[in-house]
Amino acid sequence: MSVSEPAPRQVTRSDVARYAGVSSAVVSYVVNGGPRAVAPATAKRVADAIRTLGYRPNLSARALRTGTTKTLGLVLPEINNPLYAAWAVALEVAAAERGYMVLLINSDGDPESDHRAITHLAERQIDGLLVTSSMARPDLAVPSLQGIPTVVLGVLEKGPGTVSIGVDAYAGAYEAVTHLIGHGHARIGLIIGGGSGGNPELRESGWLAASRDAGLPDGPIAREPWSRAGGYEGGMRLFSSVNYPSAVFVSSDMQALGLLRALHELGLRVPDDVAIVSFDGTEDTEYTSPSLTAVQQPVKAMAVEAVTAVLDLAASRQTEHPLHPPKLILRESCGCEH
């Protein structure tokens, strides 16, 4: 009968100190980046000892000692959406530059899943929470957020009682439709997600205001899910009839991708028969055929601001963050490069 060997002993900070010929405190200063400076030559000896011995700091013990896990929680509704994937990457980079890691949970855009995800992250003693939803609600507030510095991402309008980072969707939609009007289009449709109850969403408000300010009639609307399939169904609804609009503003890139397929199946050419401007400006819009003119959200800049905002909240600092202006990227689908 064989006897199993005992598990190898975990390398401690004291082991590293003895190997490098320094005190345990100096090892702590190197690992934690302070609070005291360490001479470069000494820091190199400690780093070499850590690599040689395979030392891994005890993060749980450090969290108890310092009161921080150096971890931010992130809740996104659908990581397969190129916009949210871009958010995830940009936030991870921004957090890493501040010495933090990001723990991501995909909630599938369901409010109950949002709440469960937030609860799970809170149990892991995160230092701050970054959260969005498929409808970019600025008023997302649930009991599990209490006591955790929280920033709501991707909002389209400021909400009371929350710190949020987002884009001026009204201005972006208004500029997109005004651009299409400048191409001579007098009847501009809209494909957008959501229902028709309550106040119109800001992308819809901007679309409507631009047409009315130009003295044009309201264009037709197709309300379909925020997805490629939703864009396809919206395209089929708007353009299967003879009296279809000559241009359309699409409220998300994913819907615009579905619209392109619908127009192709219907035998309509972009931009010759139908001009398109989409909203979001993800990388996908550059590689469609034709390439999509898009209202681009400044995701990288918003991610940096979001990380700064949540760390400011964690440090009990006041923070104010206006909506970011979007940028209209001109490509083929509106007729600019055709």
Side-chain angles (χ1 to χ4, degrees), residues 109-200:
D110 174 68
E112 290 188 7
S113 296
D114 282 343
H115 296 182
R116 285 195 300 270
I118 291 167
T119 299
H120 291 325
L121 289 169
E123 291 171 350
R124 284 156 177 76
Q125 298 180 317
I126 55 175
D127 296 320
L129 178 65
L130 302 161
V131 59
T132 188
S133 75
S134 59
M135 294 303 295
R137 295 165 300 175
D139 58 344
L140 182 65
V142 294
S144 56
L145 296 187
Q146 295 178 0
I148 301 176
T150 301
V151 172
V152 184
L153 305 173
V155 301
L156 306 181
E157 59 183 309
K158 304 294 287 186
T162 62
V163 174
S164 56
I165 305 295
V167 67
D168 190 339
Y170 179 94
Y174 192 99
E175 183 180 9
V177 175
T178 299
H179 181 76
L180 289 170
I181 293 170
H183 276 285
H185 298 285
R187 188 165 180 263
I188 300 169
L190 172 69
I191 296 177
I192 191 167
S196 58
N199 295 326

Side-chain angles (χ1 to χ4, degrees), residues 13 51 53 55 69 158 180 190 222:
R13 190 171 61 188
R51 283 193 297 271
L53 298 177
Y55 171 65
T69 60
K158 304 294 287 186
L180 289 170
L190 172 69

Side-chain angles (χ1 to χ4, degrees), residues 190-226:
L190 172 69
I191 296 177
I192 191 167
S196 58
N199 295 326
E201 199 251 38
L202 287 178
R203 281 169 285 197
E204 180 178 341
S205 297
W207 161 79
L208 197 62
S211 289
R212 290 181 176 179
D213 287 351
L216 300 177
D218 299 347
I221 302 177
R223 303 185 191 277
E224 297 291 344
W226 306 89

